[in-house]
Short mmCIF file of all heavy atoms in Angstrom, two decimals:
data_model
loop_
_atom_site.label_atom_id
_atom_site.label_comp_id
_atom_site.label_asym_id
_atom_site.label_seq_id
_atom_site.Cartn_x
_atom_site.Cartn_y
_atom_site.Cartn_z
N CYS Z 25 -13.92 0.87 -12.10
CA CYS Z 25 -13.35 0.86 -13.40
C CYS Z 25 -13.43 -0.56 -14.02
O CYS Z 25 -13.85 -1.48 -13.34
CB CYS Z 25 -11.73 1.19 -13.29
SG CYS Z 25 -10.88 0.13 -12.32
N ARG Z 26 -13.09 -0.69 -15.27
CA ARG Z 26 -13.10 -2.03 -15.88
C ARG Z 26 -11.95 -2.84 -15.35
O ARG Z 26 -10.86 -2.32 -15.10
CB ARG Z 26 -12.87 -1.85 -17.46
CG ARG Z 26 -14.04 -1.19 -18.07
CD ARG Z 26 -15.09 -2.17 -18.33
NE ARG Z 26 -16.20 -1.52 -19.04
CZ ARG Z 26 -17.50 -1.98 -19.03
NH1 ARG Z 26 -17.72 -3.07 -18.42
NH2 ARG Z 26 -18.37 -1.34 -19.68
N TYR Z 27 -12.23 -4.07 -15.09
CA TYR Z 27 -11.16 -4.96 -14.41
C TYR Z 27 -10.34 -5.58 -15.55
O TYR Z 27 -10.23 -6.81 -15.71
CB TYR Z 27 -11.77 -5.92 -13.63
CG TYR Z 27 -12.34 -5.38 -12.31
CD1 TYR Z 27 -13.33 -6.00 -11.67
CD2 TYR Z 27 -11.75 -4.26 -11.77
CE1 TYR Z 27 -13.83 -5.42 -10.46
CE2 TYR Z 27 -12.26 -3.70 -10.60
CZ TYR Z 27 -13.24 -4.26 -9.94
OH TYR Z 27 -13.69 -3.79 -8.76
N ASN Z 28 -9.61 -4.73 -16.34
CA ASN Z 28 -8.63 -5.32 -17.26
C ASN Z 28 -7.28 -5.44 -16.56
O ASN Z 28 -7.14 -5.09 -15.42
CB ASN Z 28 -8.49 -4.37 -18.52
CG ASN Z 28 -8.17 -2.98 -18.17
OD1 ASN Z 28 -7.31 -2.72 -17.32
ND2 ASN Z 28 -8.78 -2.02 -18.78
N GLU Z 29 -6.34 -6.05 -17.20
CA GLU Z 29 -5.01 -6.24 -16.50
C GLU Z 29 -4.35 -5.03 -16.08
O GLU Z 29 -3.71 -5.08 -14.95
CB GLU Z 29 -4.10 -7.13 -17.46
CG GLU Z 29 -4.61 -8.49 -17.75
CD GLU Z 29 -5.03 -9.34 -16.48
OE1 GLU Z 29 -4.19 -9.34 -15.51
OE2 GLU Z 29 -6.09 -9.89 -16.43
N VAL Z 30 -4.40 -3.93 -16.83
CA VAL Z 30 -3.73 -2.70 -16.37
C VAL Z 30 -4.42 -2.17 -15.15
O VAL Z 30 -3.72 -1.80 -14.19
CB VAL Z 30 -3.77 -1.69 -17.56
CG1 VAL Z 30 -3.30 -0.32 -17.06
CG2 VAL Z 30 -2.97 -2.18 -18.72
N ASN Z 31 -5.76 -2.09 -15.10
CA ASN Z 31 -6.41 -1.59 -13.97
C ASN Z 31 -6.28 -2.48 -12.68
O ASN Z 31 -6.17 -1.99 -11.64
CB ASN Z 31 -7.89 -1.36 -14.23
CG ASN Z 31 -8.07 -0.11 -15.03
OD1 ASN Z 31 -7.31 0.82 -15.11
ND2 ASN Z 31 -9.27 -0.07 -15.77
N LYS Z 32 -6.35 -3.80 -12.89
CA LYS Z 32 -6.12 -4.71 -11.73
C LYS Z 32 -4.74 -4.49 -11.12
O LYS Z 32 -4.63 -4.52 -9.91
CB LYS Z 32 -6.37 -6.18 -12.23
CG LYS Z 32 -7.81 -6.51 -12.47
CD LYS Z 32 -8.07 -7.99 -12.59
CE LYS Z 32 -7.53 -8.53 -13.93
NZ LYS Z 32 -7.91 -9.94 -14.16
N LYS Z 33 -3.69 -4.35 -11.95
CA LYS Z 33 -2.37 -4.15 -11.39
C LYS Z 33 -2.40 -2.84 -10.67
O LYS Z 33 -1.79 -2.66 -9.63
CB LYS Z 33 -1.40 -4.09 -12.57
CG LYS Z 33 0.08 -3.98 -12.08
CD LYS Z 33 1.08 -4.11 -13.12
CE LYS Z 33 2.52 -3.84 -12.74
NZ LYS Z 33 2.89 -3.76 -11.42
N ALA Z 34 -2.99 -1.76 -11.27
CA ALA Z 34 -2.95 -0.45 -10.61
C ALA Z 34 -3.68 -0.43 -9.32
O ALA Z 34 -3.27 0.22 -8.28
CB ALA Z 34 -3.52 0.57 -11.57
N ILE Z 35 -4.82 -1.14 -9.26
CA ILE Z 35 -5.53 -1.33 -8.07
C ILE Z 35 -4.70 -1.98 -6.94
O ILE Z 35 -4.62 -1.43 -5.77
CB ILE Z 35 -6.89 -2.09 -8.21
CG1 ILE Z 35 -7.89 -1.29 -9.05
CG2 ILE Z 35 -7.48 -2.54 -6.91
CD1 ILE Z 35 -9.10 -2.02 -9.57
N LEU Z 36 -4.02 -3.07 -7.30
CA LEU Z 36 -3.22 -3.78 -6.24
C LEU Z 36 -2.01 -2.92 -5.89
O LEU Z 36 -1.68 -2.73 -4.74
CB LEU Z 36 -2.76 -5.08 -6.91
CG LEU Z 36 -3.69 -6.24 -6.81
CD1 LEU Z 36 -3.17 -7.45 -7.54
CD2 LEU Z 36 -4.06 -6.61 -5.37
N ASP Z 37 -1.24 -2.39 -6.93
CA ASP Z 37 -0.08 -1.60 -6.59
C ASP Z 37 -0.37 -0.33 -5.73
O ASP Z 37 0.32 0.07 -4.91
CB ASP Z 37 0.57 -1.10 -7.88
CG ASP Z 37 1.32 -2.30 -8.61
OD1 ASP Z 37 1.47 -3.38 -8.04
OD2 ASP Z 37 1.76 -2.05 -9.72
N SER Z 38 -1.63 0.20 -5.94
CA SER Z 38 -1.93 1.47 -5.32
C SER Z 38 -2.24 1.23 -3.88
O SER Z 38 -2.38 2.19 -3.07
CB SER Z 38 -3.03 2.17 -6.02
OG SER Z 38 -4.26 1.41 -5.86
N ARG Z 39 -2.35 -0.06 -3.43
CA ARG Z 39 -2.61 -0.41 -2.07
C ARG Z 39 -1.40 -1.07 -1.44
O ARG Z 39 -1.04 -0.66 -0.38
CB ARG Z 39 -3.76 -1.44 -2.05
CG ARG Z 39 -5.18 -0.79 -2.23
CD ARG Z 39 -6.14 -1.81 -2.73
NE ARG Z 39 -7.49 -1.19 -2.85
CZ ARG Z 39 -7.96 -0.35 -3.76
NH1 ARG Z 39 -7.04 0.08 -4.60
NH2 ARG Z 39 -9.15 0.10 -3.72
N LEU Z 40 -0.73 -1.91 -2.16
CA LEU Z 40 0.50 -2.57 -1.58
C LEU Z 40 1.67 -1.64 -1.49
O LEU Z 40 2.39 -1.76 -0.43
CB LEU Z 40 0.79 -3.75 -2.58
CG LEU Z 40 -0.27 -4.83 -2.63
CD1 LEU Z 40 0.21 -5.88 -3.60
CD2 LEU Z 40 -0.59 -5.50 -1.32
N ILE Z 41 1.95 -0.84 -2.51
CA ILE Z 41 3.17 -0.04 -2.42
C ILE Z 41 3.13 0.97 -1.28
O ILE Z 41 4.04 1.10 -0.50
CB ILE Z 41 3.51 0.62 -3.76
CG1 ILE Z 41 3.84 -0.46 -4.72
CG2 ILE Z 41 4.62 1.60 -3.65
CD1 ILE Z 41 3.97 -0.11 -6.24
N PRO Z 42 2.02 1.83 -1.18
CA PRO Z 42 1.95 2.76 -0.11
C PRO Z 42 2.00 2.11 1.31
O PRO Z 42 2.59 2.62 2.22
CB PRO Z 42 0.68 3.52 -0.24
CG PRO Z 42 0.38 3.37 -1.73
CD PRO Z 42 0.88 2.02 -2.06
N THR Z 43 1.41 0.93 1.44
CA THR Z 43 1.44 0.22 2.70
C THR Z 43 2.90 -0.17 3.06
O THR Z 43 3.30 -0.05 4.15
CB THR Z 43 0.53 -1.08 2.64
OG1 THR Z 43 -0.77 -0.66 2.37
CG2 THR Z 43 0.56 -1.81 3.92
N ALA Z 44 3.62 -0.65 2.11
CA ALA Z 44 4.96 -1.09 2.32
C ALA Z 44 5.93 0.09 2.64
O ALA Z 44 6.70 0.08 3.57
CB ALA Z 44 5.55 -1.85 1.15
N VAL Z 45 5.60 1.28 2.03
CA VAL Z 45 6.42 2.49 2.37
C VAL Z 45 6.13 2.97 3.72
O VAL Z 45 6.99 3.29 4.55
CB VAL Z 45 6.10 3.58 1.23
CG1 VAL Z 45 6.74 4.95 1.66
CG2 VAL Z 45 6.65 3.20 -0.11
N LEU Z 46 4.80 3.00 4.10
CA LEU Z 46 4.46 3.45 5.46
C LEU Z 46 5.06 2.55 6.51
O LEU Z 46 5.65 2.99 7.49
CB LEU Z 46 2.96 3.54 5.62
CG LEU Z 46 2.27 4.70 4.88
CD1 LEU Z 46 0.75 4.42 4.91
CD2 LEU Z 46 2.61 5.92 5.59
N ASP Z 47 5.00 1.20 6.22
CA ASP Z 47 5.53 0.23 7.17
C ASP Z 47 7.04 0.37 7.34
O ASP Z 47 7.54 0.40 8.45
CB ASP Z 47 5.25 -1.21 6.68
CG ASP Z 47 5.74 -2.23 7.64
OD1 ASP Z 47 5.34 -2.21 8.81
OD2 ASP Z 47 6.62 -3.15 7.21
N ALA Z 48 7.72 0.68 6.26
CA ALA Z 48 9.21 0.89 6.36
C ALA Z 48 9.52 2.23 7.08
O ALA Z 48 10.44 2.22 7.88
CB ALA Z 48 9.85 0.98 4.94
N ALA Z 49 8.77 3.22 6.85
CA ALA Z 49 8.93 4.50 7.52
C ALA Z 49 8.71 4.40 9.06
O ALA Z 49 9.36 4.97 9.87
CB ALA Z 49 8.05 5.54 6.94
N ILE Z 50 7.69 3.60 9.37
CA ILE Z 50 7.32 3.35 10.82
C ILE Z 50 8.52 2.65 11.46
O ILE Z 50 8.85 2.97 12.60
CB ILE Z 50 6.02 2.57 10.97
CG1 ILE Z 50 4.84 3.40 10.58
CG2 ILE Z 50 5.82 2.02 12.38
CD1 ILE Z 50 3.52 2.65 10.44
N GLU Z 51 9.07 1.70 10.84
CA GLU Z 51 10.15 0.94 11.38
C GLU Z 51 11.36 1.82 11.77
O GLU Z 51 12.11 1.51 12.64
CB GLU Z 51 10.62 -0.22 10.44
CG GLU Z 51 9.64 -1.39 10.44
CD GLU Z 51 9.48 -1.99 11.81
OE1 GLU Z 51 10.58 -2.20 12.49
OE2 GLU Z 51 8.37 -2.24 12.30
N LEU Z 52 11.49 2.92 11.04
CA LEU Z 52 12.60 3.80 11.27
C LEU Z 52 12.39 4.81 12.38
O LEU Z 52 13.26 5.52 12.89
CB LEU Z 52 12.99 4.59 10.02
CG LEU Z 52 13.50 3.77 8.82
CD1 LEU Z 52 13.65 4.70 7.65
CD2 LEU Z 52 14.72 3.05 9.21
N CYS Z 53 11.06 4.90 12.90
CA CYS Z 53 10.74 5.81 13.99
C CYS Z 53 11.31 5.37 15.32
O CYS Z 53 11.42 4.15 15.58
CB CYS Z 53 9.28 5.88 14.10
SG CYS Z 53 8.38 6.69 12.79
N THR Z 54 11.71 6.35 16.08
CA THR Z 54 12.19 6.09 17.50
C THR Z 54 10.93 5.89 18.34
O THR Z 54 10.87 4.99 19.09
CB THR Z 54 13.06 7.29 17.98
OG1 THR Z 54 14.17 7.46 17.08
CG2 THR Z 54 13.56 6.98 19.34
N ALA Z 55 10.01 6.84 18.21
CA ALA Z 55 8.77 6.76 18.91
C ALA Z 55 7.64 6.33 17.90
O ALA Z 55 7.04 7.11 17.28
CB ALA Z 55 8.34 8.09 19.60
N LYS Z 56 7.61 5.04 17.69
CA LYS Z 56 6.62 4.48 16.68
C LYS Z 56 5.15 4.86 17.01
O LYS Z 56 4.74 4.87 18.15
CB LYS Z 56 6.75 2.97 16.60
CG LYS Z 56 8.17 2.52 16.05
CD LYS Z 56 8.20 1.02 15.95
CE LYS Z 56 9.54 0.52 15.44
NZ LYS Z 56 10.71 1.38 15.41
N PRO Z 57 4.44 5.03 15.89
CA PRO Z 57 2.97 5.18 16.08
C PRO Z 57 2.34 4.08 16.90
O PRO Z 57 2.80 2.91 16.70
CB PRO Z 57 2.40 5.39 14.68
CG PRO Z 57 3.56 5.80 13.91
CD PRO Z 57 4.75 5.07 14.58
N LYS Z 58 1.40 4.29 17.71
CA LYS Z 58 0.76 3.26 18.51
C LYS Z 58 -0.14 2.36 17.66
O LYS Z 58 -0.22 1.13 17.92
CB LYS Z 58 -0.11 3.90 19.56
CG LYS Z 58 0.66 4.65 20.60
CD LYS Z 58 -0.17 5.31 21.61
CE LYS Z 58 0.66 6.15 22.61
NZ LYS Z 58 -0.17 6.93 23.58
N ILE Z 59 -0.68 2.86 16.59
CA ILE Z 59 -1.61 2.16 15.77
C ILE Z 59 -1.31 2.38 14.25
O ILE Z 59 -1.10 3.47 13.85
CB ILE Z 59 -3.14 2.56 16.11
CG1 ILE Z 59 -3.49 2.23 17.47
CG2 ILE Z 59 -4.03 1.87 15.07
CD1 ILE Z 59 -4.80 2.88 17.95
N PHE Z 60 -1.37 1.29 13.53
CA PHE Z 60 -1.27 1.46 12.06
C PHE Z 60 -2.49 0.67 11.43
O PHE Z 60 -2.49 -0.54 11.50
CB PHE Z 60 0.05 0.89 11.58
CG PHE Z 60 0.26 0.92 10.09
CD1 PHE Z 60 -0.45 1.81 9.25
CD2 PHE Z 60 1.14 -0.02 9.39
CE1 PHE Z 60 -0.23 1.91 7.92
CE2 PHE Z 60 1.28 0.09 8.04
CZ PHE Z 60 0.60 1.02 7.22
#
């Protein structure tokens, strides 16, 4: 896509936010996944 400010933010957010959510969900696990 074109690297305008809207797309650059969307590219970053679409990587950072899911990673943070997965990390937080893993932290709540009793039997944590072996690999992330």
Side-chain angles (χ1 to χ4, degrees):
C25 61
R26 295 280 180 198
Y27 288 151
N28 58 41
E29 293 308 310
V30 171
N31 284 338
K32 287 191 286 187
K33 181 173 177 15
I35 289 168
L36 279 174
D37 287 351
S38 69
R39 286 156 174 72
L40 297 175
I41 295 169
T43 301
V45 170
L46 287 168
D47 183 58
I50 289 168
E51 284 303 312
L52 296 175
C53 290
T54 302
K56 292 181 180 18
K58 295 177 183 174
I59 298 168
F60 180 23

